[in-house]
Every structure is written in C-alpha cells, then in structure tokens.
C-alpha cells in the first residue's frame, strides 16, 4: 500500500512537471523576441528534458516489459527526444542542423500534447473529450450526407430545368 501511494505521489509530481512545462512554454512564447532571456529558457528547457527523462526511466523501472506496450510511453520518449534535439540546436545557435531542419522548432509545440496525459488522471474530462469527439464525427457524417444531398439536388435540377427547351429562352427581368 505504501508503494502504491509512493507511485501516486511520483505520478502527481510528473503531472505537475507537465503543467509547469506548458506554463513555461506559454510564457516563453510571449517573450521569445527578447534574446536577453535565451539562457533562462535554455536552462528551464534543460531542466524539463532532464525531468521528463527521469519520468521515462521511472516508468521503465516500474513497468519493465509492459512499458513497451503502452502508447503513451512511446509518445513521451518521442517528445523528450525531440525536445532534447531542439534544446541541442538552441544551444548550438546558428548550426547547420538548425538551418537544415527549421521545422524542428515547430515540433516543440507537440509538447503541449503532453497535457492530454492528464486526462488519465481526470476521468470526467476524458469522458467529456470522448463525447465531444463522437459528436464531431456525427456532425462530420451529417455534413457529408448534406453535401451528397446538395449534389444530387443540383444534378436533378440541371436535368429537369437546365435541359428543358421551353425554359432555355426564358428571360427573367429584374
């Protein structure tokens, strides 16, 4: 029972780390124009990469072989590796790698998706998100049916009205 509580505390601390990372990213976006604070952002990003690396190591230790079968673990690994590469490019400055892969800076935004991991913890929000996704899919299907109906109606009107010889010379005055 103590181990379970210890694991719960560690998981909560990783959730807090994720929230802090998101908040720091939001603040960093606001002050990105200023080059005076580059060192601060690099230090903070380094701390987050180390923290997320520790999280991966802890989960590997806890889950052993089961770690390989969980999609979130692979997602965490990918995001952490991309963050580390982005951090390396930030430290390197004007390196050739930064010029070759300018899209890597855009991939930093994928770290925001880590926020979805919190949905494991907040089941009510997860249920609402699933309901929203199902509603959006239903609306998509309704939209497709509506477009098919408009298309069929258009074909029917062209066949009935557009090809009628009596209506071809009809003048409509405004």
């Amino acid at each position: 029972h103590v181990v379970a509580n210890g694991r719960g505390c560690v998981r909560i601390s990783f959730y807090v780390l994720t929230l802090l990372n998101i908040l720091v990213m939001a603040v960093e976006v606001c002050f990105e124009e200023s080059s005076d604070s580059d060192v601060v952002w690099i230090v903070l990003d380094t701390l987050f990469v180390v923290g997320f690396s520790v999280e991966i190591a802890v989960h590997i230790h806890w889950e052993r072989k089961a770690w390989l079968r969980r999609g979130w673990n692979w997602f965490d690994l990918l995001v952490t590796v991309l963050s580390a590469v982005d951090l390396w490019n930030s430290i390197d400055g004007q390196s050739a790698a930064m010029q070759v892969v300018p899209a890597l800076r855009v991939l930093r935004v994928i770290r925001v998706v880590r926020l979805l991991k919190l949905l494991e913890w907040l089941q009510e929000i997860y249920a609402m998100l699933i309901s929203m996704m199902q509603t959006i899919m239903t609306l998509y299907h309704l939209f497709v049916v509506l477009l098919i109906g408009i298309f069929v109606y258009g074909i029917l009107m062209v066949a009935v009205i557009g090809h009628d010889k009596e209506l071809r010379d009809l003048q409509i005055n405004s």
Side-chain angles (χ1 to χ4, degrees):
H1 188 61
V2 174
V3 173
N5 285 339
R7 285 186 180 189
C9 289
V10 171
R11 283 200 172 118
I12 289 173
S13 66
F14 288 137
Y15 290 146
V16 169
L17 180 69
T18 301
L19 285 173
L20 284 174
N21 186 15
I22 303 286
L23 291 173
V24 166
M25 285 177 61
V27 172
E28 182 180 4
V29 167
C30 293
F31 295 106
E32 195 165 340
E33 298 295 322
S34 156
S35 62
D36 299 336
S37 59
D38 282 350
V39 174
V40 173
W41 302 126
I42 289 173
V43 168
L44 286 172
D45 282 345
T46 302
L47 291 173
F48 285 120
V49 167
V50 168
F52 291 129
S53 299
V54 168
E55 178 186 14
I56 291 170
V58 166
H59 281 282
I60 288 173
H61 176 72
W62 282 348
E63 299 173 20
R64 309 270 181 206
K65 291 180 182 178
W67 187 89
L68 296 171
R69 292 187 297 264
R70 226 172 142 228
W72 278 117
N73 294 333
W74 290 103
F75 174 76
D76 279 342
L77 182 65
L78 175 70
V79 170
T80 303
V81 167
L82 288 175
S83 298
V85 170
D86 178 52
L87 181 62
W88 173 73
N89 281 332
S90 296
I91 292 170
D92 200 20
Q94 299 297 334
S95 71
M98 188 64 171
Q99 294 168 356
V100 173
V101 190
L104 192 60
R105 294 294 283 175
V106 175
L107 291 177
R108 300 181 72 203
V109 178
I110 202 168
R111 292 191 292 183
V112 174
V113 179
R114 279 183 184 266
L115 195 56
L116 292 178
K117 282 180 52 180
L118 298 177
L119 295 178
E120 290 179 327
W121 191 40
L122 304 167
Q123 293 297 319
E124 294 85 10
I125 295 176
Y126 180 74
M128 285 179 12
L129 182 66
I130 295 298
S131 297
M132 251 177 41
M133 286 175 30
Q134 289 173 345
T135 302
I136 289 170
M137 286 305 296
T138 302
L139 287 174
Y140 167 74
H141 293 132
L142 180 65
F143 182 71
V144 169
V145 168
L146 183 65
L147 283 178
I148 291 171
I150 291 171
F151 182 72
V152 168
Y153 180 76
I155 291 173
L156 181 66
M157 289 298 107
V158 167
V160 171
I161 297 173
H163 295 298
D164 188 351
K165 293 180 183 178
E166 294 176 13
L167 295 175
R168 193 170 287 176
D169 296 328
L170 180 65
Q171 294 280 334
I172 300 177
N173 293 329
S174 308

